[in-house]
Amino acid sequence: MAISSVIVMGVIMAGWASNSKWSLLGAMRSAAQIVSYEIPIGLGILSVVMLAQTLNMQEIVKGQDGIANWLIFRTPFTFIAFFVFFISSIAEVNRTPFDLPEAESELVAGFHTEYSGMRFALFFIAEYANMFAVSAIASTLFLGGWHGIVTRRDVARSRHSWLGLLGVVIKTLFLVFVMMWIRWTLPRLRVDQLMNLCWKYFIPISFFNILGVGIWGLIFPKDSRLSIIISIAAIILGLIFTFGVLGKSLSKGPKPPPSSAERRVSATT
């Protein structure tokens, strides 16, 4: 988290050094966005730490042996925390639909307006490196890390260690692919929508997840099979309910335009 936060310093220095009002405004807006979305990311990691009861990433991975033991499936709250963490990571690395720093329709091109050539390339090399880093952290914390291809027994016997590395890279690249996929799918948000999503939705949801993980840990003992079964059942029911609500809202279709008689009545009123 500390390493990913260093990006804020580079963004502010780049906007300030440009000696341009547009670049400076873009840098300030970028810094506000990155700092804001670090809060739900940290709270999402805290819910994982509470469940794993350790800050050691090796120990967090060792507790996820088997797909059913991945922390994303361990409780319904960590399932929600994964999506909050991943969406907040997209916002932190300035990817669409959160690419407000590059909103050329509003502030020319944000903090990198005055940069071209290799200087421009350095900014985006850092952006793609940060995408890989946050995706690797997400796959380690929520998706079992090197589990899935190799088992804990193989690692203890120092066998197939390269397969574990391959598993982490495949999961990480899949999350990077999802970030690129979203870029070509969703339109850019406005800056007020961006901040509302963070402060009014993600942060309260993250606090709710922390409370839920704490209560879940009191009710169910660690590594309880009943806990995993109930969690997966709750996740499936939640997904069915969510897609049912979305399908019902989409099936209504757009509201038809008013008829000429209705327009005359409304104009008279």
Side-chain angles (χ1 to χ4, degrees):
M1 287 186 65
I3 292 171
S4 65
S5 303
V6 176
I7 294 175
V8 179
M9 301 299 296
V11 167
I12 294 175
M13 291 169 64
W16 182 269
S18 296
N19 195 23
S20 167
K21 294 179 180 178
W22 302 112
S23 299
L24 182 60
L25 287 172
M28 294 297 105
R29 188 168 69 173
S30 305
Q33 171 182 335
I34 296 170
V35 171
S36 297
Y37 276 91
E38 283 175 359
I39 300 173
I41 288 176
L43 295 175
I45 293 175
L46 184 58
S47 63
V48 170
V49 170
M50 289 176 61
L51 199 63
Q53 299 182 11
T54 178
L55 285 168
N56 189 323
M57 297 184 80
Q58 285 285 348
E59 296 298 324
I60 292 174
V61 173
K62 287 178 182 178
Q64 302 183 64
D65 191 7
I67 296 178
N69 289 319
W70 290 2
L71 289 180
I72 189 176
F73 302 125
R74 190 76 62 82
T75 73
F77 306 102
T78 49
F79 184 78
I80 299 170
F82 168 74
F83 288 98
V84 172
F85 177 90
F86 186 65
I87 295 171
S88 300
S89 299
I90 295 174
E92 190 183 17
V93 300
N94 303 328
R95 300 291 295 179
T96 306
F98 307 103
D99 59 338
L100 268 297
E102 324 168 7
E104 66 278 352
S105 59
E106 302 169 18
L107 291 175
V108 190
F111 64 91
H112 52 76
T113 302
E114 306 295 333
Y115 296 91
S116 62
M118 195 59 201
R119 293 182 179 87
F120 178 82
L122 285 173
F123 285 114
F124 284 90
I125 290 172
E127 180 178 306
Y128 278 89
N130 200 17
M131 286 171 58
F132 188 87
V134 296
S135 298
I137 293 172
S139 64
T140 302
L141 295 179
F142 294 95
L143 302 180
W146 37 260
H147 284 303
I149 297 181
V150 296
T151 63
R152 190 189 303 179
R153 185 178 303 173
D154 293 330
V155 175
R157 296 178 180 176
S158 299
R159 295 188 308 177
H160 310 302
S161 58
W162 62 273
L163 284 176
L165 176 62
L166 180 64
V168 175
V169 171
I170 288 173
K171 294 174 186 177
T172 302
L173 292 179
F174 173 75
L175 294 179
V176 172
F177 165 75
V178 172
M179 287 187 181
M180 295 181 179
W181 186 10
I182 291 173
R183 182 178 183 87
W184 299 105
T185 307
L186 299 177
R188 181 185 295 132
L189 298 178
R190 297 195 313 266
V191 65
D192 59 319
Q193 294 172 332
L194 178 85
M195 290 302 180
N196 283 340
L197 182 65
C198 177
W199 292 98
K200 292 185 178 180
Y201 295 97
F202 280 177
I203 293 178
I205 290 172
S206 298
F207 281 120
F208 172 76
N209 286 336
I210 291 173
L211 179 64
V213 168
I215 295 173
W216 193 276
L218 291 174
I219 296 174
F220 298 102
K222 189 177 181 181
D223 297 331
S224 170
R225 292 294 176 186
L226 179 62
S227 168
I228 296 172
I229 293 171
I230 295 175
S231 172
I232 293 175
I235 290 169
I236 293 172
L237 291 175
L239 290 174
I240 292 172
F241 175 77
T242 302
F243 285 115
V245 171
L246 288 175
K248 188 175 181 180
S249 62
L250 293 175
S251 63
K252 292 180 180 179
K255 187 178 179 181
S259 62
S260 57
E262 291 175 340
R263 286 198 296 267
R264 285 197 296 269
V265 171
S266 61
T268 306
T269 304

